[in-house]
């Protein structure tokens, strides 16, 4: 039976959402959910979420995800959804049933609609201010809330362990998490020794419609490159994190330049690059450009969370860095 919310509660919900957007402020809480301590099947399950909250979930039946990536993760864990945000369709292309409601966007969720779904468990992003504030109203309405942060394969494994423990689907943890980990590990084990023997350098750029920034270990592609043994230019030239200096890039002359696109309009981001650093006459003299090693990375593997395709992301980079290394 749908909860009967008072007018005051609804007003509070809408007030909390008004004018709130952008990334959440930094927090001393753990960067990823802690490893859970599994309990006997059919009992309430307790874990620590990405903001350090102790969360107890007791067989949720009406689950709402405020982030398309986490909606997919919940489905990979064998869970069903009552509602999720529109990026689950526009970005993830998830096969949602007609009974799954769309509750707005990740940055602007419709809290009143979410509450109207009689949710008993809400999955939220630790990096989104709207979600942190929405949780206050959700909890006041009796909805259990949990925050996740997935920036690396290790984060994904930890989150999937929690989700599959809630759903009781250990088989899906093996299939959609551990198998993915083994695939990634095999790629690293094959490629890293080769790149340690013959080191390569790379510049990783994240392009926006308004500009571009160099990225390091704060980016999922940056973490993967590091694990594969690539030397990221920002490690030797930290000032590139503040400003993409063509002088420094030309002096370092990286073997590869990788670009990830931020936002829904790839062309606008590429146009911004063309009007930015690529406009410098020296750009065409870079080794990476001349040797066809200037690579635009696909968004489904390197901008959006890869989830069960994380192994594919590692393999994609490996095929560029060490062609043929994964054959046989």
């Amino acid at each position: 039976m749908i909860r009967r919310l008072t007018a005051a509660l609804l007003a509070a919900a809408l007030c909390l959402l008004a004018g709130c957007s952008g990334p959440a402020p930094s927090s001393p809480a753990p960067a990823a959910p802690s490893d859970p301590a599994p309990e006997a099947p059919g009992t309430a399950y307790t874990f620590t979420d990405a903001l350090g909250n102790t969360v107890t979930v007791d067989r949720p039946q009406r689950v709402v995800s405020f982030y398309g990536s986490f909606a997919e993760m919940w489905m990979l864990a064998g869970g069903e959804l009552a509602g999720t945000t529109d990026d689950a369709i526009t970005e993830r292309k998830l096969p949602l049933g007609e009974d799954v409601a769309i509750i707005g966007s990740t940055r602007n969720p419709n809290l009143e609609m979410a509450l109207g779904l009689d949710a008993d468990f809400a999955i939220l992003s630790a990096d989104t201010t709207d979600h942190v504030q929405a949780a206050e109203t959700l909890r006041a309405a009796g909805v259990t809330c949990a925050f996740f942060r997935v920036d690396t394969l290790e984060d994904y494994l930890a989150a999937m362990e929690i989700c599959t423990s809630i759903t009781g689907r250990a088989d899906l943890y093996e299939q959609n998490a551990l198998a993915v980990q083994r695939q990634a590990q095999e790629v690293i084990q094959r490629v890293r020794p080769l790149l340690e023997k013959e080191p390569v350098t790379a510049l990783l750029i994240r392009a926006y419609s308004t500009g571009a920034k160099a990225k390091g270990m704060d980016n999922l592609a940056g973490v993967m490159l590091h694990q594969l043994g690539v030397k990221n230019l920002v490690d030797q030239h930290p000032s590139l994190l503040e400003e993409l200096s063509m002088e420094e890039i030309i002096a370092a002359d990286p073997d590869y330049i990788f670009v990830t696109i931020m936002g829904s309009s790839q062309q606008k981001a590429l146009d911004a690059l063309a009007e930015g650093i690529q406009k410098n006459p020296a750009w065409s003299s870079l080794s990476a450009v001349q040797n066809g090693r200037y690579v635009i990375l696909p968004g489904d593997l390197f901008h959006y969370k890869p989830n069960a395709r994380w192994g594919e992301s590692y393999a994609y980079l490996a095929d560029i860095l060490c062609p043929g290394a994964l054959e046989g």
Side-chain angles (χ1 to χ4, degrees):
M1 177 177 176
I2 297 177
R3 292 183 177 83
R4 299 181 180 276
L5 300 175
T6 64
L9 181 56
L10 285 176
L14 297 174
C15 180
L16 280 169
L17 286 180
C20 301
S21 62
S26 58
S27 168
S34 64
D35 290 338
E39 300 180 24
T43 65
Y45 180 72
T46 299
F47 61 95
T48 302
D49 74 3
L51 291 184
N53 303 307
T54 299
V55 180
T56 298
V57 182
D58 189 3
R59 299 176 297 280
Q61 301 298 312
R62 303 285 297 170
V63 178
V64 175
S65 174
F66 283 63
Y67 189 21
S69 175
F70 295 161
E72 180 181 48
M73 190 171 66
W74 178 250
M75 293 171 67
L76 289 168
E80 296 183 355
L81 291 164
T84 187
T85 46
D86 60 6
D87 55 314
I89 296 175
T90 60
E91 296 176 1
R92 313 300 301 195
K93 306 294 190 291
L94 296 183
L96 301 176
E98 294 182 359
D99 57 339
V100 178
I102 301 301
I103 59 166
S105 66
T106 293
R107 294 292 183 185
N108 188 30
N110 187 321
L111 186 56
E112 183 177 358
M113 181 180 293
L115 289 168
L117 293 174
D118 199 25
D120 54 7
F121 183 43
I123 300 173
L124 307 109
S125 169
D127 297 316
T128 305
T129 300
D130 291 324
H131 296 193
V132 175
Q133 297 185 346
E136 298 178 20
T137 300
L138 291 167
R139 290 184 180 119
V143 181
T144 301
C145 297
F147 288 91
F148 289 90
R149 177 182 288 118
V150 177
D151 294 324
T152 66
L153 172 58
E154 292 70 27
D155 293 341
Y156 171 70
L157 293 169
M160 278 295 287
E161 187 171 5
I162 290 173
C163 291
T164 53
S165 293
I166 294 171
T167 62
R169 294 296 302 275
D171 60 319
L172 293 179
Y173 182 65
E174 165 62 35
Q175 175 182 317
N176 294 323
L178 294 181
V180 174
Q181 180 186 40
R182 287 193 294 271
Q183 182 184 5
Q185 288 175 335
E186 181 179 357
V187 173
I188 293 170
Q189 289 166 3
R190 289 197 183 197
V191 171
R192 189 176 180 91
L194 300 176
L195 295 182
E196 288 179 341
K197 185 177 181 180
E198 297 183 13
V200 301
T201 58
L203 172 64
L204 175 62
I205 298 173
R206 192 171 193 182
Y208 308 79
S209 60
T210 56
K213 289 186 176 181
K215 304 299 289 184
M217 293 290 285
D218 58 339
N219 179 274
L220 66 87
V223 173
M224 285 187 269
L225 288 170
H226 172 77
Q227 292 174 334
L228 289 168
V230 175
K231 307 299 181 184
N232 194 324
L233 244 60
V234 300
D235 294 332
Q236 288 80 39
H237 303 273
S239 60
L240 285 172
L241 293 168
E242 300 297 327
E243 179 185 1
L244 272 175
S245 165
M246 272 304 300
E247 289 74 15
E248 284 191 82
I249 296 171
I250 292 168
D253 196 22
D255 298 306
Y256 293 86
I257 298 175
F258 293 105
V259 178
T260 65
I261 305 298
M262 175 68 177
S264 58
S265 178
Q266 176 169 311
Q267 191 55 53
K268 287 183 179 180
L270 294 176
D271 290 344
L273 273 178
E275 291 300 314
I277 57 174
Q278 292 180 22
K279 206 168 185 178
N280 190 306
W283 175 262
S284 59
S285 69
L286 291 171
S287 298
V289 176
Q290 292 184 343
N291 296 325
R293 293 176 171 177
Y294 172 60
V295 182
I296 308 297
L297 296 173
D300 56 339
L301 294 178
F302 296 98
H303 172 52
Y304 308 131
K305 315 299 183 186
N307 288 341
R309 301 180 65 193
W310 222 289
E312 292 181 48
S313 298
Y314 281 90
Y316 189 97
L317 290 174
D319 285 337
I320 294 171
L321 296 164
C322 299
L326 303 183
E327 297 177 3

